[in-house]
Amino acid sequence: MQTLEIKAVKRDGFGKKAAKAYRREGLVPCILYGGGEEVAFTVDTKAVKPLIYTPNSYIVEIEIDGKVEKAVMREVQFHPVREQILHIDFYRVQEGKPVAIAIPVRLTGNAEGVKVGGKLALSARKLVVKAMVDKLPDEIVVDVTPLKVGQTIFVGDLQFEGLTFVTPATTAVCAVRVTRASRAAAN
């Protein structure tokens, strides 16, 4: 899994007034929790943009006043009107404990149903998985070659070593939909 490094500064001020002051300076208030004490800190808005505005998932190495903490991003709060980041929650990664994280899905192959006029539809762009940090892949690759018109691949059909899917097994990942062209080819 890819790693992103972010420099942070521990924050003293709490509450609405302090948060607004940090945001005016171009900083984002954040919190790191899980497996120990909670740490409140701020990061530069430009430093977290590669983490938020991407389909990829990252393990984040946050350097808070010289101490490096490994974490995953849990939640981002945005302003309801402007596209301003208001707050970010990070969850600490602990050695020997599995981590739950959303990982992007990539489809490979040419589905049989598409060759006869069906349309391939990706239903789940990301799937939540649980695994040890060293076993986490950058993406979940799903081969769609055997799919015929009207068939679907569900999360329960996927098998990856070292990964446990948190997303329900009945969730559709991708399907080949029936189109007018495929109906005409069948007749």
Side-chain angles (χ1 to χ4, degrees):
M1 174 144 254
Q2 299 173 19
T3 306
L4 190 71
E5 295 177 6
I6 295 176
K7 294 203 183 304
V9 178
K10 214 170 197 173
R11 65 181 162 124
D12 307 328
F14 296 95
K16 200 182 283 188
K17 196 172 186 180
K20 283 184 180 180
Y22 287 129
R23 289 185 199 112
R24 271 194 301 273
E25 293 173 23
L27 301 172
V28 178
C30 304
I31 191 152
L32 175 68
Y33 60 90
E37 67 175 75
E38 290 184 357
V39 180
F41 60 94
T42 58
V43 294
D44 186 27
T45 307
K46 292 175 186 151
V48 292
K49 283 193 177 186
L51 178 66
I52 293 171
Y53 299 108
T54 180
N56 301 329
S57 297
Y58 294 100
I59 297 292
V60 185
E61 289 184 351
I62 307 166
E63 186 183 321
I64 307 168
D65 296 335
K67 186 181 176 192
V68 177
E69 297 269 11
K70 275 189 172 184
V72 291
M73 187 173 65
R74 268 293 137 93
E75 185 181 0
V76 181
Q77 296 171 4
F78 289 95
H79 188 278
V81 178
R82 298 179 303 227
E83 199 173 314
Q84 180 187 13
I85 304 163
L86 297 179
H87 190 272
I88 303 174
D89 289 356
F90 289 97
Y91 186 75
R92 189 178 281 119
V93 173
Q94 300 168 18
E95 289 300 318
K97 284 197 173 180
V99 170
I101 189 168
I103 296 184
V105 174
R106 183 170 59 91
L107 304 179
T108 61
N110 194 0
E112 294 292 324
V114 173
K115 292 176 185 174
V116 295
K119 183 179 180 192
L120 183 65
L122 176 64
S123 304
R125 293 184 185 276
K126 286 189 173 190
L127 297 176
V128 180
V129 298
K130 194 174 198 177
M132 300 306 267
V133 176
D134 58 332
K135 300 273 189 209
L136 287 171
D138 287 331
E139 59 190 6
I140 296 171
V141 180
V142 179
D143 184 23
V144 296
T145 307
L147 277 184
K148 293 178 176 52
V149 175
Q151 289 185 327
T152 305
I153 294 178
F154 295 98
V155 172
D157 301 333
L158 302 176
Q159 301 273 312
F160 289 94
E161 190 179 330
L163 288 184
T164 305
F165 287 94
V166 177
T167 305
T170 56
T171 304
V173 177
C174 62
V176 176
R177 306 268 186 244
V178 179
T179 61
R180 277 189 243 153
S182 64
R183 258 193 235 118
N187 291 337

